[in-house]
Each structure stands twice: as C-alpha cells, then as structure tokens.
Amino acid sequence: MSSTGTVRAIHVAPEQGAPTERVDRVRAVAGCGLEGDRYYSADGTFADREGSDVTLIEAEALSAVERDYEIDLESGVHRRNLTTEGIALNHLVDVRFRIGEVICKGVELCEPCSFLESHLAKNGIREALVHRGGLRARVLESGTVTTGDRVERI
C-alpha cells in the first residue's frame, strides 16, 4: 500500500444503533464530523472519545477478514464512515491527511468493540478486526467528501 488511496464508499448512521446508509457525498464539518451521521450530533456510542468526527476502514482489511476468518462484512455493516482502498490507515495516526478537499488528522486506531460484535451477531468479528479495524480522525478543515476522492498524506 502507498501513502495515497481512494474513497470507495461513504456511510452515515443518523442515530446510535441505526443501520448505516450509503451516500455518494457528504459534508464534513471541522470539529463536528459528517453531516447526517450520529457523531455529528454527538449521539454515537463513542461520542465522548476524541477523534470520532470520521472513521475510516480499508477495503483490503475487509477482504482479509473475509479470507482469514470467513466473515463477510457487507457494505457499511462495519459501522465505519469511509471505506478506502490503497492507503495504509494505521500509518495515519498523528498524521494530517486530505480526503478530497477535507483536511483531517488521524487520532487513533479504531479497534473493534463488543458493540460491533453484538450488533452483527457474528462471533469472532472482534478478533478478526484487531489492528485492522480502521482509523478515528478529526476533521480540521471542512469540505465535501465524494466517493472516488483521493486520500493522501499531507
């Protein structure tokens, strides 16, 4: 993987526990998150945790989970906002990066939680996503994120 990638899918969930909805574009607001997402209105499970403005996960990690654990995570059920391809998200902790016109900073790895495992009713999903569950990030500069946008370190 390289230091650049692409947004493959965008998902938001309007409230805690609600199914995610796939959208083609979303407005990211500095210090708030993605419009229409539960964390934008501080309603998500981890709303009080630094860096919950936007969450990202690698398409490659999802493929590895399916291959190694025979667990198919259909689009959006992983509860992450952005699915990326081609960029190593674990390398973006404490790093500024651009998603299309939006500037973000990686805060911490988005390790899997018991909520995800119970929500999906798939035993082993927590173990399968350890160190490949994605990235939590802060939105530093607002803008629109669109499917197909480039993701790159800056």
Side-chain angles (χ1 to χ4, degrees), residues 15-41:
E15 58 191 43
Q16 182 176 342
T20 61
E21 301 168 2
R22 188 169 181 158
V23 296
D24 292 327
R25 66 186 313 118
V26 67
R27 178 126 176 94
V29 178
C32 292
L34 305 181
E35 287 183 350
D37 189 63
R38 64 209 180 273
Y39 289 108
Y40 186 84
S41 57

Side-chain angles (χ1 to χ4, degrees), residues 31-33 39 46-56 81 104-110 135-139:
C32 292
Y39 289 108
F46 299 104
D48 60 346
R49 179 181 282 176
E50 172 73 17
S52 293
D53 292 357
V54 62
T55 56
L56 304 90
N81 299 124
C104 296
K105 182 176 181 182
V107 174
E108 66 181 356
L109 296 184
C110 195
L135 178 72
R136 290 185 195 286
R138 299 283 302 161
V139 176

